[in-house]
């Protein structure tokens, strides 16, 4: 071969190798990891001002991405929030207003089969989809996670589960549909299974849904963590601290696994809680008023962190109201998948807002309906009815995040306007498909059964 030809050949070889590699890099779909905590108190994370329970790994997600300080969930309860999360639609549009387990519906109780789930959509876009954790969207075979878009499943189908072996033979831990031996400590098992999923699918685009049952009751903490927090006098708080620490460590292990495989940069990670903390597990929602099962801020405003180092700048704080319904369209946009299908999709793609490309508020209004309890958030304002209220309350959250000063009497026109907007939204909903059930009407049993 003459020298010139050899040079041309070398160049052609370089070009033919370089172009496909560059194109493939650019087009590589991000992995998506969606972590959900259960009944986590708003004020319990270090990054939210918590002092007594270090949460370095959860805080690290917020620090490496954006912390949405007005992050909400569309329900103050486990199952309704998950129904909204996996559909991107207000769950009251399809009757999923309360936890399944109440009256009506029998085996037909679960996430409506007419709804298209996030994993179904991502699977259609070429993703491998896996779930590790608590389902709580129906126990019957037709509602099983692997019938609703997940390739793989490890976890349990109900709303709560013991953390140590020997507690719940009737509702075992499943791999797919097969019962498996209960692990030594459930939160640790969820970390191990999640890391296994990442190991198996590290070369493909994957979606990992990781809804921990921590820090939901029953209160079971490992001895080493009880020892670590022996200085906390209150037993409930001490146990809670142990459970939260176990979850924080599990999340740290999963994040480290991404890093080990070089996947950290191009993985979109979400972290939320499914609702606010209930007093019964020793959690605290400071500075918010109210708790789980209420439409006070303490029931529906949650930790809401999103990181994607390839696209979102680290250390950002975003204060416009956002909601867990936004996670589906955000994930689909990141995946390059269409957000088509059943209308209306209530969530919006948050990426342009988080990058600063779009300076507007993502939502004109956010709405809540949980039986007789209602709420509407518009800008800094919140219209609210909690149990027993005949007239709505009005709060300015900018000045009064703790909802202590009801302004309804001094701003009747604003109350009227917001109520009319809520009424308009309410007309687009259907009646609940099942009743709340005894556990949602009785505070004493609340945390045990949800
Ligand atoms: Ca919950």
């Amino acid at each position: 071969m003459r020298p010139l030809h050899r040079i041309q050949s070398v160049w052609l070889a370089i070009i033919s190798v370089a172009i496909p590699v560059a194109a493939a890099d650019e087009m590589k779909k991000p992995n998506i990891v969606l972590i959900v905590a259960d009944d986590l108190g708003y004020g319990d994370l270090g990054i939210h001002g918590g002092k007594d329970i270090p949460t370095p790994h959860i805080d690290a997600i917020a620090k490496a991405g954006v912390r949405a300080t007005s992050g909400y969930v569309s329900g103050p309860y486990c199952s309704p929030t998950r129904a909204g999360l996996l559909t991107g639609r207000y769950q009251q549009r399809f009757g999923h207003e309360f936890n399944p387990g109440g009256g009506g519906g029998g085996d037909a109780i679960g996430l409506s089969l007419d709804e298209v789930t996030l994993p179904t959509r991502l699977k259609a876009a070429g993703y491998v989809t896996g779930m590790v954790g608590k389902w709580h969207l129906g126990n019957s075979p037709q509602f099983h996670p692997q019938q609703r878009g997940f390739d793989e499943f490890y976890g349990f189908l109900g709303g709560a589960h013991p953390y140590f072996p020997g507690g719940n033979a009737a509702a075992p831990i499943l791999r797919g549909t097969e019962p498996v031996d209960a692990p030594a400590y459930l939160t640790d098992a969820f970390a191990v299974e999640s890391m296994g999923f990442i190991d198996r699918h590290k070369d493909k685009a994957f979606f990992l849904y990781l809804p921990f049952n921590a820090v939901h009751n029953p209160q079971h903490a490992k001895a080493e963590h009880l020892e670590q927090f022996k200085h906390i006098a209150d037993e409930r708080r001490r146990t809670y601290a142990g459970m939260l620490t176990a979850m924080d460590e599990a999340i740290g292990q999963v994040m480290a696994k991404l890093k080990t495989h070089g996947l950290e940069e191009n993985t979109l990670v979400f972290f939320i809680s499914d609702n606010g903390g209930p007093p019964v597990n020793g959690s605290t929602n400071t500075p918010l008023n109210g708790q789980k099962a209420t439409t006070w801020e303490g029931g529906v405003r949650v930790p809401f962190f999103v990181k994607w180092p390839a696209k979102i700048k680290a250390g950002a704080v975003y204060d416009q109201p956002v909601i867990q319904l936004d996670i589906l369209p955000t994930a689909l946009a990141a995946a390059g998948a269409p957000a088509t299908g059943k209308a209306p999709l209530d969530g919006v793609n948050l990426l342009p807002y988080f990058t600063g490309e779009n300076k507007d508020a993502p939502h004109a209004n956010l709405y809540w309906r949980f039986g007789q309890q209602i709420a509407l958030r518009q800008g800094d304002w919140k219209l609210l009815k909690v149990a027993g209220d005949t007239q709505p309350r009005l709060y300015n959250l900018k000045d009064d995040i703790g909802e202590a000063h009801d302004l309804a009497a001094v701003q009747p026109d604003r109350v009227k306007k917001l109520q009319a907007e809520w009424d308009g939204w309410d007309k687009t909903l259907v009646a609940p498909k099942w009743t709340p059930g005894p556990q949602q009407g009785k505070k004493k049993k609340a945390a045990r059964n949800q």
Side-chain angles (χ1 to χ4, degrees):
M1 190 184 279
R2 284 181 298 165
L4 186 61
H5 283 168
R6 194 160 62 216
I7 290 166
Q8 282 174 335
S9 303
V10 168
W11 273 111
L12 281 172
I14 290 170
I15 289 165
S16 63
V17 169
I19 285 177
V21 167
D25 267 356
E26 239 174 60
M27 289 170 65
K28 174 123 174 49
K29 293 171 187 289
N31 305 299
I32 300 167
V33 177
L34 170 52
I35 305 171
V36 179
D38 196 343
D39 290 9
L40 176 64
Y42 186 85
D44 287 322
L45 299 178
I47 198 147
H48 276 188
K51 299 283 184 234
D52 56 343
I53 310 170
T55 53
H57 300 295
I58 298 172
D59 295 352
I61 295 175
K63 288 175 186 166
V66 57
R67 179 165 69 96
T69 48
S70 298
Y72 288 94
V73 283
S74 56
Y77 244 36
C78 304
S79 186
T81 280
R82 287 153 211 269
L85 174 67
L86 293 189
T87 61
R89 285 156 48 77
Y90 281 113
Q91 64 276 4
Q92 303 93 337
R93 294 198 186 283
F94 47 92
H96 206 125
E97 189 156 334
F98 303 112
N99 274 0
D107 288 346
I109 282 187
L111 179 60
S112 169
L113 299 177
D114 293 335
E115 297 298 316
V116 186
T117 66
L118 175 58
T120 298
R121 291 166 179 273
L122 287 172
K123 199 169 150 70
Y127 276 70
V128 178
T129 56
M131 171 181 166
V132 176
K134 157 175 159 171
W135 179 235
H136 210 185
L137 289 172
N139 294 331
S140 303
Q142 68 271 31
F143 299 119
H144 187 278
Q146 287 171 301
Q147 299 296 324
R148 306 310 307 272
F150 288 106
D151 294 314
E152 300 182 17
F153 168 62
Y154 177 94
F156 65 95
L157 298 175
H161 202 280
Y163 293 76
F164 294 115
N168 198 350
I173 301 297
L174 303 174
R175 184 184 307 285
T177 53
E178 294 300 314
V180 295
D181 288 340
Y185 190 70
L186 193 51
T187 303
D188 293 345
F190 289 164
V192 169
E193 291 292 326
S194 297
M195 291 190 287
F197 177 84
I198 295 169
D199 282 337
R200 285 196 298 284
H201 303 298
K202 63 182 190 302
D203 298 326
K204 306 168 197 152
F206 61 77
F207 169 52
L208 171 62
Y209 175 45
L210 175 53
F212 288 95
N213 57 317
V215 286
H216 193 299
N217 277 5
Q219 283 214 289
H220 293 167
K222 290 194 285 184
E224 70 194 69
H225 289 139
L226 293 174
E227 174 67 18
Q228 182 181 340
F229 292 102
K230 63 184 176 193
H231 57 279
I232 298 180
D234 181 83
E235 190 185 348
R236 272 193 315 186
R237 182 72 180 169
R238 182 164 68 246
T239 309
Y240 178 84
M243 295 168 76
L244 176 50
T245 297
M247 179 168 66
D248 189 67
E249 290 172 355
I251 289 170
Q253 289 170 16
V254 175
M255 294 297 106
K257 178 60 79 176
L258 293 174
K259 202 167 182 177
T260 301
H261 290 310
L263 301 175
E264 191 180 32
E265 180 76 7
N266 198 28
T267 298
L268 170 61
V269 178
F270 298 92
F271 176 87
I272 61 165
S273 179
D274 69 337
N275 49 250
V280 72
N281 72 352
S283 57
T284 169
N285 297 312
T286 307
L288 309 179
N289 193 4
Q291 62 195 60
K292 172 179 180 174
T294 73
T295 48
W296 292 104
E297 291 290 281
V300 294
R301 191 195 285 228
V302 296
F304 196 119
F305 312 144
V306 184
K307 83 164 176 129
W308 184 8
K311 299 279 180 188
I312 299 172
K313 256 201 288 188
V317 176
Y318 189 79
D319 195 40
Q320 298 277 10
V322 300
I323 192 160
Q324 107 283 13
L325 307 173
D326 299 331
I327 288 175
L328 179 145
T330 304
L332 292 180
T340 50
K342 198 148 185 173
L345 209 57
D346 293 302
V348 302
N349 169 20
L350 294 176
L351 294 173
Y353 299 94
F354 286 167
T355 58
E357 192 184 316
N358 190 333
K359 307 277 187 212
D360 297 336
H363 299 273
N365 293 332
L366 293 178
Y367 304 95
W368 290 266
R369 188 182 83 182
F370 188 63
Q372 298 304 307
Q373 300 192 68
I374 73 161
L376 179 154
R377 170 128 191 214
Q378 182 177 90
D380 295 332
W381 295 96
K382 181 168 168 189
L383 186 83
L384 174 72
K385 269 188 193 170
V386 290
D389 285 352
T390 52
Q391 297 301 316
R393 306 157 185 256
L394 179 72
Y395 298 98
N396 184 321
L397 296 178
K398 191 179 178 191
D399 306 325
D400 181 22
I401 195 173
E403 296 171 291
H405 307 291
D406 182 3
L407 301 174
V410 290
Q411 297 220 28
D413 290 347
R414 190 183 299 277
V415 169
K416 211 170 152 187
K417 174 177 169 286
L418 296 182
Q419 181 70 57
E421 291 184 35
W422 187 90
D423 291 342
W425 172 74
D426 185 52
K427 286 191 178 69
T428 69
L429 309 178
V430 301
K433 271 194 191 166
W434 49 84
T435 56
Q439 77 274 23
Q440 290 169 66
K442 292 180 185 170
K443 271 188 183 171
K444 278 184 186 167
K445 288 188 178 176
R448 194 165 70 235
N449 294 331
Q450 294 145 29

